[in-house]
Amino acid sequence: MDATAQATWWIFAALIMFLALLGYLGVHKMLAKALDSRADRIRNELDEARELREEAQGVLAELQRKRREAEEEAEQIVAAAKREAESIRKEASEKSHEYVERRTASAEQKIAQAETDAISAVRNRAIEIATAAARRVIAESVGPEKQQQIIDESLSTIRTKLH
């Protein structure tokens, strides 16, 4: 045998003894146990990840349900606010219409009262002017004693007709 073959044979023999020693020491069992342990750990992590995913989906579904409820509640609030605003607008319109009607009626009453007052003032002034003119005419045409009697009779006639 040449030296290369002999070295190869010794390397092969050393490898076989090394493998036998590893087998004797139970390294293959430790490797299998480590691999099994790792596989169990990975399986547990996958199960845990699956559970977390299912829990996250449940939380997501719950959040989506709450979001929908919040949107519905917001729509109801907006609708109620619109109804309330329309009610307030109608009420304000009615109150302003009533206010205008009251102010118009009040103005018409004031105008009617002013007309009545003006007519009364003109009538009183006309009576005063007529009385003064009658006094002058009577004073010029009759004597002083007859004059007072005619004035008193005229005033009593006018007062009777006015009341």
Side-chain angles (χ1 to χ4, degrees), residues 111-140:
I111 290 170
Q113 184 62 43
E115 285 177 358
T116 303
D117 291 347
I119 290 171
S120 179
V122 167
R123 186 177 292 146
N124 288 338
R125 185 68 180 142
I127 290 171
E128 289 173 9
I129 291 172
T131 305
R135 275 191 183 152
R136 257 190 253 137
V137 169
I138 292 172
E140 291 171 3

Side-chain angles (χ1 to χ4, degrees), residues 155-163:
L155 287 176
S156 109
T157 304
I158 290 172
R159 286 188 185 125
T160 307
K161 287 187 180 184
L162 289 178
H163 296 293

Side-chain angles (χ1 to χ4, degrees), residues 16-143:
I16 295 294
M17 286 195 320
F18 178 72
L19 290 175
L21 178 64
L22 288 178
Y24 177 74
L25 293 175
V27 172
H28 66 285
K29 290 179 184 177
M30 286 190 289
L31 284 175
K33 186 176 179 182
L35 288 174
D36 287 343
S37 171
R38 183 153 187 215
D40 287 342
R41 192 179 72 225
I42 290 172
R43 193 175 305 110
N44 288 338
E45 287 176 2
L46 286 174
D47 289 342
E48 189 176 319
R50 190 175 307 112
E51 288 173 8
L52 287 173
R53 181 173 165 247
E54 289 171 358
E55 185 178 325
Q57 286 176 336
V59 169
L60 176 64
E62 178 67 19
L63 289 175
Q64 287 174 340
R65 183 187 62 77
K66 286 183 179 180
R67 180 186 53 86
R68 280 191 307 273
E69 288 174 357
E71 286 175 352
E72 290 171 0
E73 185 176 347
E75 288 174 2
Q76 291 172 355
I77 289 171
V78 167
K82 284 181 181 179
R83 286 190 305 272
E84 182 69 21
E86 181 61 22
S87 171
I88 290 171
R89 186 196 64 76
K90 284 181 181 178
E91 184 178 332
S93 175
E94 290 171 0
K95 284 184 178 180
S96 113
H97 183 67
E98 290 171 3
Y99 176 75
V100 168
E101 287 178 354
R102 281 194 315 269
R103 294 294 290 183
T104 302
S106 175
E108 289 172 352
Q109 286 176 348
K110 286 179 182 179
I111 290 170
Q113 184 62 43
E115 285 177 358
T116 303
D117 291 347
I119 290 171
S120 179
V122 167
R123 186 177 292 146
N124 288 338
R125 185 68 180 142
I127 290 171
E128 289 173 9
I129 291 172
T131 305
R135 275 191 183 152
R136 257 190 253 137
V137 169
I138 292 172
E140 291 171 3
S141 63
V142 286

